[in-house]
Amino acid sequence: MPDLPSRYALLCVGNSMMGDDGAGPRLAELCAERPLPGWTVVDGGAAPENDIGFLRELRPQHLVIVDATDMGLAPGEMRIINEEDIGEMFMMTTHNLPLTFLIQQLRDDIPDITFVGIQPDVVAFYYPMSAVVEQAVRHLHQRLPALETGLGIALYAAGDA
């Protein structure tokens, strides 16, 4: 009998040594402390492209990607960003490859992909994560089980900033 695909996967992206850019890895830690039933969590760190093969094999029905994203909002604000907008906006990134490349590589194997950006406050080496971003990460952890009915996070629009 073949393995059934995981229903949901969470790809947490970021560098935990760079203050609020560690939002994704912090979410992965929180999921390890308090697992989400039905979810496979991947801490992609600063090189999420290294997890493309694993995610393709996993073939979840829905993938949520979380990363600190400079959207010009108040620190800790979260938005769902359309795939088309990711390439057009300036994405503060510490990653080797653009997230648009990552999503394109996964698109054929994963039907639904949602990108959640968390507005950072300070992104600098050896800075701690700010309290507002930590709070946003905790809020997102609580909301993920409600993915099917909506995360309660607004869609990013260029006029938000």
Side-chain angles (χ1 to χ4, degrees):
M1 176 182 269
D3 291 334
L4 292 174
S6 176
R7 188 167 173 88
Y8 301 112
L10 176 64
L11 177 61
C12 302
V13 180
N15 185 336
S16 56
M17 294 183 63
M18 293 195 61
D20 291 340
D21 191 48
R26 177 65 186 118
L27 180 57
E29 287 175 8
L30 205 52
C31 290
E33 294 166 12
R34 286 181 259 157
L36 301 170
W39 286 80
T40 298
V41 179
V42 177
D43 184 350
E49 60 275 7
N50 293 342
D51 297 302
I52 289 173
F54 174 75
L55 289 166
R56 277 184 168 158
E57 288 180 25
L58 188 63
R59 297 179 84 84
Q61 293 175 7
H62 198 131
L63 172 67
V64 176
I65 303 171
V66 177
D67 192 12
T69 307
D70 188 0
M71 301 169 283
L73 303 172
E77 288 284 320
M78 292 184 282
R79 293 290 185 274
I80 293 174
I81 303 172
N82 281 326
E83 187 176 338
E84 303 80 40
D85 294 334
I86 294 171
E88 294 176 11
M89 17 179 337
F90 166 71
M91 300 277 292
M92 172 196 42
T93 182
T94 57
H95 323 306
N96 297 329
L97 293 172
L99 291 174
T100 50
F101 172 81
L102 177 81
I103 292 171
Q104 289 166 356
Q105 295 300 306
L106 296 171
R107 178 59 57 206
D108 289 340
D109 297 302
I110 303 172
D112 290 317
I113 299 175
T114 300
F115 181 86
V116 178
I118 299 175
Q119 176 66 48
D121 187 8
V122 177
V123 176
F125 273 113
Y126 307 116
Y127 273 78
M129 184 174 298
S130 66
V132 292
V133 170
E134 172 72 26
Q135 183 178 9
V137 168
R138 289 181 178 279
H139 179 73
L140 182 55
H141 179 263
Q142 292 172 349
R143 296 288 311 165
L144 284 171
L147 180 64
E148 285 185 356
T149 58
L151 292 173
I153 299 171
L155 192 62
Y156 175 80
D160 285 352

